[in-house]
Amino acid sequence: MSDLYDILDPWGFSDNSNSAATGAGSTGSGYSDSTRSCLDRVILPPIYTIAYSAAIKAGSGSITRDVLQRVLTYSDLPSHIIGQIILSADTGAPMISQQDFNLALAMAALAQKNMTPSIDTVLFHRDDLPVPEIDGIEALLTDANMEIPRQSISSPDFADTSDDPWLSAAAKGADMPVASATAAIGAVSVSADSVVSGSAPPASLSNGNAGKGQQKQGVVAAAENRSSISNGGGVSSQTFVPQISMDTTQWKLDVEDVSIKESAERGGIVFKHTNYEVTTRSFTAMVVRRYNDFFWISNYLVRRYPYRMHPNIPPKGFPDNRVKGLTRFSSAILRIPFLRRDALVIQFFSNTDEFARVVKVGNLDMDAEEFDPNEEAGNTPWAEIQQTYTAFDDFYGQVSRDEEKYRVQITALEKIARYTQAIGDELYAYSDTLRTLNMPTESATGSRKFYMLSKAKRALNGNLNELSMSFGDASLLDKSQGEVMKTMSAEYLRRLYDVVISMKLMMDRIRQMDKGKEIVRIRERIDANRKALGLLSGESATSVSSTAASGPVDRSGMERLEKLIGEDTADLNKLELEQQCIELRFYQELARYKCYESFLHTHYHRFVEERIKHHTLALNAWKQALVTADDLPTNPLDFIS
């Protein structure tokens, strides 16, 4: 945007280089090989070699994401930070190279010093990197099969220091059998034997009064104890990661795969409507759609995927911004993997027929998605998923706070953009008054001596013309900066705001569809009917054995109760399956929601970069104005001589 007014950029950035420099996300896939090799010529502390050797042995000759997670657990960092580091270091290859392993340790060291764990930060601090603190890493050398447990959230490092429910969910449900729970993306270690037997975590991990050093010893001791159990044939601990698609495109909110423009031809015979030409890079065809088609596909996504987040369609009452809103809506659909693979979505963006005809003859599945929750959950224990779901209200409060936060930020940026553009307009109006051609003509009456231009006056007029040009450049820069803030910075935050709204709407749907109360009611009815059946069965046995029966046996009542119990049991099984689907989808979507925060790297990198470029250009303009101002005549007598 710096070339919006044809002002030369002293930094030499072009659109392509700028997008390449800033398009790299925090997952590491957008960085060049030269950037990722920034530590190759740096002399690293011995702890890097020790940790790499331990990881190689733990991974039986290679390092996987799981092994890297186990190593980073010794850094005592929260799980969502560890997950962010793993995403940044991972290039998508099956194994982690030593180069990427060193990057991960460097990011962990930066995170321990309260700095952002990213490759950009490592590149900036490569000459003064802190030493990573991973005490106890030698334990990996003693037993390659040992699993490192995740640090308990009830430790002093987390106690009463954060209101983030993603980190405090376990504290809300301490009576659950899992040691800890989190929906943040990243590995979550849970003891499998505690899940099975319901045993409590070791006292050294849950004692909030223990010191940090004692806690590390407790973690290592618990790992050694768990390793000995595993070697003796017991159940070993496992590492669980939310089973979600790790396609990083879905979190790059600046990626737009769709181009939409109004068609010159209006549709309809009697009542005319606007048609939109939709072109995508994913599909070769150009399709024509009307607003009702977009609205229909939005309702379909809600009906087909009720327990998932999906984009929000812009309201119909704002035609001026409708093309922009529909472009944002369509691009968001194609960024999300499970929506991009939907059969009806593919038809929407690729079939050139009228969409109403496509829906009518397509014979496509319109019902809500069906899936096996146990298969979808993978190796994540249900106790972990259920414990996260018990903190639903806490997560809803966090999402509501995110909504208010982004709303305030968007409003502030839009105000700053308007004020900046207003300053540019006023500065341009001021510069216009400095031009000689715009000055009022002097009266020809009186002595010719005073309306003839002196040498100083001619020099003054020339310098004022140059000042007018410098002021004009500065005013155009302010207007350009305001336009950038409105079209890019505020727009990026608005896309994050849309994600928050999508999450909140999904949670509202889940709250309405929750089967918990209905399950409790059916269970109570089954228990009551079983008690009644037990009483009838007891009376029946007594009447048969007694010689003086008081009356006939109520066989019909027993059969009726058995039938009711059977029907209620079938309904209960169905409702419990639906509730499992709800809880699993909430767990997965919560993890996906947290991953969207990685886009803040792109937003603030570009925001700060544009501000720096603007101030550099403005500084050059004002320096030129200062040179011109210094050349203005200073002797009063020169104007009348």
Side-chain angles (χ1 to χ4, degrees), residues 301-344:
L301 295 178
V302 175
R303 186 169 63 253
R304 176 70 173 162
Y305 307 102
Y307 312 133
R308 288 177 180 260
M309 288 189 297
H310 28 68
N312 304 313
I313 189 171
K316 191 174 183 178
F318 298 93
D320 294 339
N321 297 325
R322 190 181 297 172
V323 172
K324 183 177 180 181
L326 292 177
T327 302
R328 183 195 306 164
F329 170 73
S330 303
S331 298
I333 289 178
L334 295 183
R335 277 195 299 265
I336 302 174
F338 73 90
L339 295 182
R340 191 167 59 239
R341 295 190 297 266
D342 185 90
L344 191 56

Side-chain angles (χ1 to χ4, degrees), residues 428-503:
Y428 185 83
Y430 183 89
S431 68
D432 199 46
T433 63
L434 297 178
R435 298 177 185 177
T436 306
L437 295 179
N438 296 333
M439 293 182 179
T441 305
E442 296 181 4
S443 175
T445 60
S447 175
R448 293 176 56 85
K449 176 179 180 181
F450 293 105
Y451 64 80
M452 291 181 60
L453 296 180
S454 62
K455 183 178 180 180
K457 180 64 175 177
R458 290 193 296 271
L460 177 65
N461 290 341
N463 290 334
L464 289 179
N465 284 333
E466 293 184 8
L467 275 179
S468 174
M469 295 176 61
S470 298
F471 282 22
D473 290 344
S475 69
L476 293 179
L477 284 170
D478 285 338
K479 292 163 68 175
S480 173
Q481 176 65 14
E483 184 68 19
V484 169
M485 294 181 67
K486 182 173 66 175
T487 59
M488 188 177 73
S489 301
E491 173 65 17
Y492 284 176
L493 283 180
R494 192 172 295 280
R495 295 179 185 183
L496 273 173
Y497 181 78
D498 287 345
V499 172
V500 176
I501 296 300
S502 298
M503 182 66 181

